[in-house]
């Protein structure tokens, strides 16, 4: 007789317990960047809404930023770090191809031997991580999960690239996710469009750099293409996430999109028809575009500035390189 396998089941619901954040140590104003791109402070503000951005010093890497953000999230969660049995890190700026950022951070924060892996989904990475943590806990594979978005994009920026160099910042945001008596994380709407992968991403490969046929790989983008896609296509995804969660835009307390560009954020909110009561994350103004870290960083700031948002619903949506996207509605801790 063939034995029957055991398949675990976990908590019926999950929620985000807490947020943690870390930003680069240096504030870099627009005036420090305009020379190589032959631009002006006014031009950058008008096109992006960025006044300054945070960047990390040479001795700080994405792993350090992730560790700092994770420690704050764990402390605020009230969960013993030793009980966290899954660590998911979203990043495109691991200083090494391997080992993973997640395994190192898990050890640093006291969650060893948690399952640990990195997610490379660029600016959608945090939303992907939240979706996976939610599924792991409800499947009984994990009890508590730590999800981190961390980037040191200043390592992969060409100061003379007018398409993206002035947008990028460094930072990390983290959350602790665990079981809940009521639903705290809505269904995730996610996907990709790899046919447009050239719209935003790295301009060379590491092997080309190794072989001396290309300079150090850096990020670049086709700004108009990304803008149109983000505003028109991602609004559809945001609406799908609201519908899947069974709520409407008027039910939201906050809207936290990826901090790509202030014009995109404002147009996004307009297309969604958000009421004035919805608080919108605009962390890009002083932090810059931090890719996978931007949603948790923006949410962390909103909660600090608007504690009344606690317990309210937030729609978060990430989108970026490889035209990868992910969106879900969550209950704010």
């Amino acid at each position: 007789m063939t034995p029957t396998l055991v398949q675990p089941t976990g908590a019926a619901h999950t929620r985000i317990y807490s947020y943690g954040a870390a930003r680069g140590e240096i504030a870099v104003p627009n005036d420090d960047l305009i020379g190589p791109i032959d631009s002006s402070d006014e031009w950058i503000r008008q096109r992006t809404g960025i006044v300054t951005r945070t960047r990390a010093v040479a001795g700080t890497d994405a792993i350090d930023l992730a560790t700092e953000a994770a420690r704050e999230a764990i402390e605020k969660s009230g969960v013993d770090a030793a009980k966290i049995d899954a660590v998911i890190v979203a990043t495109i700026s691991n200083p090494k191809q391997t080992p993973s950022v997640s395994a190192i951070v898990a050890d640093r924060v006291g969650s060893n031997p948690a399952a640990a892996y990195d997610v490379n989904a660029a600016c959608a990475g945090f939303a992907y991580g939240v979706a996976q943590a939610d599924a792991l806990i409800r499947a009984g594979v994990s009890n508590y999960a730590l999800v981190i978005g961390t980037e040191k994009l200043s390592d992969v920026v060409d100061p003379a690239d007018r398409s993206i160099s002035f947008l990028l910042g460094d930072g990390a945001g983290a959350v602790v996710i665990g079981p809940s008596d009521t639903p705290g994380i809505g269904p995730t709407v996610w996907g990709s469009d790899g046919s447009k992968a050239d719209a935003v991403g790295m301009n060379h490969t590491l092997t080309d750099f190794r072989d001396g046929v290309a300079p150090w790989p850096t990020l670049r983008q086709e700004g108009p293409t990304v803008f149109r896609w983000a505003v028109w296509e991602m609004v559809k995804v945001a609406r799908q996430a609201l519908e899947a969660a069974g709520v409407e835009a008027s039910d939201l307390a906050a809207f936290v999109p990826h901090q790509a560009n202030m014009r995109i954020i404002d147009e996004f909110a307009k297309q969604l028809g958000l009421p004035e009561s919805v608080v919108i994350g605009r962390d890009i103004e002083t932090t810059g575009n931090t890719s996978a870290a931007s949603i948790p960083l923006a949410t962390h700031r909103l909660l600090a500035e608007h504690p009344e948002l606690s317990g309210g619903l937030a729609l978060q949506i990430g989108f970026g390189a490889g035209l990868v996207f992910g969106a879900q509605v969550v209950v704010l801790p």
Side-chain angles (χ1 to χ4, degrees):
M1 184 175 69
T2 303
T4 300
L5 293 176
V6 173
Q7 284 193 308
T9 56
H13 310 296
T14 65
R15 65 181 175 91
I16 294 174
Y17 287 21
S18 58
Y19 283 79
R23 290 176 172 82
E25 301 93 338
I26 305 170
V28 182
N30 293 335
D31 286 339
D32 287 3
L33 305 178
I34 59 178
I37 60 173
D38 189 24
S39 186
S40 67
D41 171 64
E42 181 182 10
W43 183 84
I44 294 175
R45 291 189 189 218
Q46 288 179 347
R47 290 183 63 86
T48 70
I50 298 175
V51 176
T52 186
R53 74 279 298 138
T54 59
R55 290 187 174 174
V57 298
T60 298
D61 61 23
I63 304 172
D64 299 322
L65 293 166
T67 302
E68 182 181 344
R71 284 175 174 153
E72 181 189 354
I74 293 170
E75 180 180 356
K76 290 165 63 176
S77 73
V79 176
D80 185 341
K83 292 184 178 180
I84 293 173
D85 49 11
V87 178
I88 304 169
V89 172
T91 187
I92 60 169
S93 44
N94 185 348
K96 297 180 179 180
Q97 296 293 96
T98 191
S100 67
V101 174
S102 53
I104 296 172
V105 173
D107 181 60
R108 287 185 180 182
V109 301
S111 298
N112 198 351
Y117 61 95
D118 291 358
V119 174
N120 185 339
C123 310
F126 179 75
Y128 271 45
V130 170
Q132 292 172 53
D134 165 56
L136 289 171
I137 294 168
R138 289 191 291 114
V141 179
S142 175
N143 294 302
Y144 297 95
L146 174 65
V147 178
I148 309 166
T150 185
E151 304 289 6
K152 189 182 181 185
L153 299 178
S154 58
D155 283 344
V156 288
V157 62
D158 175 1
D161 184 347
R162 283 177 62 91
S163 76
I164 202 169
S165 63
F166 50 89
L167 289 169
L168 305 178
D170 301 333
V175 294
V176 172
I177 295 175
S180 174
D181 293 334
T182 56
I185 298 175
T188 296
V189 176
W190 56 357
S192 65
D193 183 1
S195 69
K196 297 182 178 66
D198 291 340
V200 56
M202 305 301 290
N203 59 356
H204 302 296
T205 66
L206 287 173
T207 50
D208 286 341
F209 175 70
R210 178 200 64 192
D211 296 340
V213 298
W216 175 251
T218 56
L219 282 167
R220 40 80 54 205
Q221 70 172 346
E222 296 174 5
T225 300
V226 174
F227 184 93
R228 288 192 298 270
W229 174 75
V231 170
W232 300 111
E233 297 303 318
M234 291 305 95
V235 167
K236 299 175 186 177
V237 171
R239 289 178 179 142
Q240 289 172 22
L242 290 170
E243 182 178 0
V247 301
E248 299 181 358
S250 58
D251 296 319
L252 296 174
F255 174 51
V256 190
H258 163 52
Q259 304 292 291
N261 180 306
M262 194 73 81
R263 290 194 302 158
I264 290 177
I265 294 171
D266 291 342
E267 185 63 26
F268 213 146
K270 178 181 177 182
Q271 292 297 324
L272 279 176
L274 297 179
E276 292 185 4
S277 60
V278 177
V279 182
I280 300 173
R282 291 189 171 92
D283 189 49
I284 189 171
E285 182 178 16
T286 55
T287 301
N289 178 341
T290 54
S291 189
S294 75
I295 290 174
L297 280 175
T299 308
H300 181 274
R301 173 160 282 167
L302 281 188
L303 288 171
E305 296 177 348
H306 301 276
E308 72 277 7
L309 294 176
S310 179
L313 298 178
L315 169 61
Q316 56 186 30
I317 177 168
F319 47 88
L323 300 200
V324 176
F325 57 87
Q328 64 251 137
V329 178
V330 303
V331 176
L332 294 170

